Amino acid sequence: MAAVLSVNHLSKKFGNREVLKDISFDVNEGEVVCLIGSSGSGKSTLLRCLNLLEQPTTGTVLYRDKNIEESGLDLFHYRSKVGMVFQQFNLFNNLDVLENCTTGQVNVLKTEKEEAKKRALRYLTEVGMDTYINARPAQLSGGQKQRVAIARALAMNPDALLFDEPTSALDPETIGEVLKVMKHLAETGLTMVVVTHEMQFAREVSDRVVFMDQGVIVEEGKPEDIFNHPKEERTKEFLSRIL
Ligand code: ADP
Ligand code: MG
């Protein structure tokens, strides 16, 4: 299987604090990898390193075999290929839904405006938000905002998407609609790395679960192995607390 992303002996320090320690793992084409672990274990920092929102202190991230820090891709282009969906949506609040989904295409990818609108509509339809094209983010529920954020990322024609707790800021009643969209994307074969506390989603949708604790990968494997037969004490302890 071809690796889309390959993390090799990555560590990250903030000052003297090492929050990621010798992390290595691959994300293969079409794979859905869920990152789980307690708050503070380093999941967001790892995801941010994959997107170069943080620079690794040592070690490398390869995107399709090229070191992302030396690939010659500018950051904006790299982030269109390996997109990110954030807990807090990060929509442009001064733009409407359609503009949120076209601005990156026009400004980064240099897509023609009409073509950008077409693509935006296609993905807004895919996430069920095509009837809200003129709405501002402030007029939308959390679940609707997150679906727009997902459409915006998809409109950039990504090779992989990173999700950092995409449902953690949502009201319980809108979590399901976002998870449903993500499940659909997984079924279409999109390569995804998902930090989540939604264990049911991880169990049902992911190909691989990576459990992190205190900056290290403690254990990784198929969801049924991690959830039903965890090998490591720390994994057992974490799962017994949350399941
Ligand atoms: P998680 O997403 O698993 O909750 P994070 O990656 O957010 O964990 O954080 C891991 C550790 O790194 C935490 O102790 C956090 O306080 C620390 N940390 C994260 N970002 C920064 C930063 N910009 N500066 C200093 N410490 C940070
Ligand atoms: Mg986090």
Side-chain angles (χ1 to χ4, degrees):
M1 243 188 301
V4 178
L5 290 165
S6 182
V7 179
N8 302 289
H9 302 292
L10 183 152
S11 62
K12 175 68 184 175
K13 282 185 180 173
F14 290 113
N16 289 329
R17 254 194 89 216
E18 194 170 36
V19 302
L20 294 174
K21 299 162 195 161
D22 197 28
I23 299 273
S24 297
F25 76 110
D26 284 354
V27 181
N28 295 313
E29 182 102 52
E31 230 185 352
V32 178
V33 177
C34 279
L35 289 181
I36 63 171
S38 307
S39 173
S41 57
K43 306 179 301 296
S44 292
T45 305
L46 177 55
L47 220 56
R48 291 167 63 81
C49 285
L50 295 180
N51 201 246
L52 273 185
L53 288 166
E54 299 286 355
Q55 257 186 337
T57 305
T58 59
T60 55
V61 177
L62 307 186
Y63 165 61
R64 301 226 174 247
D65 298 329
K66 288 204 181 105
N67 185 336
I68 61 175
E69 292 181 277
E70 301 165 356
S71 68
L73 271 182
D74 75 70
L75 268 181
F76 290 107
H77 272 96
Y78 176 64
R79 289 180 191 149
S80 71
K81 289 286 123 209
V82 180
M84 179 96 117
V85 173
F86 300 89
Q87 185 176 341
Q88 296 295 344
F89 329 117
N90 295 16
L91 292 176
F92 305 112
N93 288 320
N94 56 328
L95 302 181
D96 69 22
V97 163
L98 189 64
E99 290 163 341
N100 262 280
C101 297
T102 55
T103 181
Q105 296 186 70
V106 171
N107 293 314
V108 176
L109 304 181
K110 308 297 176 200
T111 307
E112 291 287 334
K113 248 197 165 125
E114 283 312 306
E115 172 62 21
K117 278 188 191 170
K118 257 196 234 163
R119 287 185 61 80
L121 261 178
R122 175 172 145 204
Y123 292 107
L124 285 166
T125 304
E126 193 164 337
V127 303
M129 286 300 292
D130 50 312
T131 56
Y132 291 85
I133 51 175
N134 297 317
R136 297 277 164 144
Q139 298 169 287
L140 304 177
S141 72
Q144 291 173 328
K145 283 185 215 177
Q146 197 58 296
R147 286 188 283 147
V148 171
I150 291 170
R152 177 178 65 175
L154 290 171
M156 299 298 277
N157 194 25
D159 206 5
L161 281 188
L162 314 173
F163 294 81
D164 193 359
E165 298 199 31
T167 61
S168 292
L170 303 182
D171 294 328
E173 64 268 27
T174 68
I175 291 176
E177 69 195 46
V178 172
L179 292 178
K180 193 171 147 205
V181 165
M182 292 172 63
K183 189 172 180 191
H184 163 73
L185 293 178
E187 285 162 0
T188 66
L190 182 68
T191 306
M192 298 162 64
V193 183
V194 184
V195 173
T196 189
H197 293 291
E198 295 290 333
M199 295 302 141
Q200 192 57 31
F201 176 87
R203 197 189 272 270
E204 275 178 32
V205 179
S206 70
D207 298 296
R208 195 145 47 89
V209 174
V210 175
F211 169 62
M212 290 181 64
D213 189 39
Q214 297 184 18
V216 301
I217 291 178
V218 174
E219 185 167 358
E220 63 175 297
K222 292 201 179 83
E224 58 266 34
D225 292 335
I226 297 294
F227 289 114
N228 300 345
H229 314 286
K231 290 198 194 82
E232 301 293 330
E233 260 335 292
R234 279 194 276 177
T235 318
K236 289 178 193 167
E237 198 267 328
F238 171 74
L239 291 173
S240 74
R241 262 189 293 127
I242 58 153
L243 290 180

